Amino acid sequence: ATLEQSLIFTSLGTTLKDNLLDLGAGATQLVVRIDDIANVPTVEAELNRYFESRNLPWKVLPWYDSKVYSQMVGMFNGIGGLIVTILTVMVGVITSNALLMAFFERIREIGTLRAIGMKKIQVYQLLYTESAIIGVIGALTGLVLGVALVLVGQHIGIPLGGLVNQDVYPALNSASLIVSVAAPILCILVAAAIPIRAASRMSVIESL
């Protein structure tokens, strides 16, 4: 057993298991970790039946019904949303600036296209198509690298250390994959609006 201030971490040995429920006021919570998340409902039902049969004042509360857990999830979701927002703004600003510089380096090219009869809407389409291609390539490349890192994490685990002393195994889901692809592409297309608008509105004479 390991004692850490007001917490005791230990395995369920025979002696401890027999005396664990007799701690009375000496313990406010007993936390049990099981080997598979799918077994949580079964373990909850069995333990609650056991407590009721012996008139014990204990009740099993799965972690996902805990107020502390809900508060922690809300906090981490809020932090995650803030990080995503900051990264999105940074990517948008950097992308917009890079595309603006790239388009203005091609002023003569755009002017030549306009001089031979290309309309403004066609310039819009051309530049947006280029931006979309860049966005798709970048998003797919990032997706491949991200999936590879997640698969490695699933294989070897990510140690948390400290009091938890447990490995975390990340998981992939369809929502994350869709957002990982759609978000950067949408961000690039939105960020490209200002430089494309500025480039396509220049007169042919100024461009040449």
Side-chain angles (χ1 to χ4, degrees), residues 104-116:
F104 276 100
E105 287 177 356
R106 300 165 56 192
I107 289 179
R108 285 184 174 274
E109 176 185 341
I110 296 173
T112 302
L113 294 175
R114 291 288 308 283
I116 61 177

Side-chain angles (χ1 to χ4, degrees), residues 4-200:
E4 179 65 32
Q5 295 181 352
S6 60
L7 300 177
I8 298 178
F9 291 88
T10 182
S11 59
L12 288 176
T14 304
T15 303
L16 179 63
K17 185 164 56 177
D18 293 339
N19 300 324
L20 194 58
L21 301 178
D22 297 330
L23 293 174
T28 56
Q29 289 183 348
L30 302 177
V31 180
V32 179
R33 296 192 299 184
I34 59 179
D35 58 345
D36 192 343
I37 190 175
N39 296 330
V40 171
T42 303
V43 173
E44 177 187 3
E46 290 294 333
L47 286 177
N48 280 328
R49 278 197 294 266
Y50 176 81
F51 296 152
E52 291 175 1
S53 66
R54 293 177 175 262
N55 294 322
L56 295 171
W58 294 92
K59 182 178 180 181
V60 177
L61 180 67
W63 80 90
Y64 43 75
D65 291 337
S66 171
K67 291 183 179 179
V68 176
Y69 173 79
S70 300
Q71 292 173 352
M72 292 296 292
V73 170
M75 181 182 70
F76 283 115
N77 286 341
I79 294 174
L82 179 61
I83 293 174
V84 170
T85 301
I86 294 175
L87 290 177
T88 300
V89 173
M90 290 177 59
V91 170
V93 172
I94 294 173
T95 301
S96 181
N97 183 66
L99 290 176
L100 185 64
M101 297 299 295
F103 292 153
F104 276 100
E105 287 177 356
R106 300 165 56 192
I107 289 179
R108 285 184 174 274
E109 176 185 341
I110 296 173
T112 302
L113 294 175
R114 291 288 308 283
I116 61 177
M118 180 174 283
K119 300 179 180 179
K120 288 184 178 180
I121 186 64
Q122 292 175 316
V123 175
Y124 265 94
Q125 293 174 348
L126 174 63
L127 298 180
Y128 258 118
T129 300
E130 292 182 3
S131 301
I133 292 174
I134 294 173
V136 169
I137 294 175
L140 293 180
T141 303
L143 180 64
V144 171
L145 294 176
V147 169
L149 290 175
V150 171
L151 293 177
V152 172
Q154 287 180 345
H155 180 68
I156 64 176
I158 302 174
L160 293 180
L163 293 177
V164 180
N165 193 24
Q166 185 176 351
D167 292 342
V168 174
Y169 297 90
L172 293 172
N173 58 69
S174 56
S176 298
L177 294 177
I178 293 174
V179 172
S180 299
V181 175
I185 295 176
L186 181 62
C187 181
I188 288 177
L189 292 180
V190 172
I194 296 177
I196 289 177
R197 181 184 178 88
S200 60

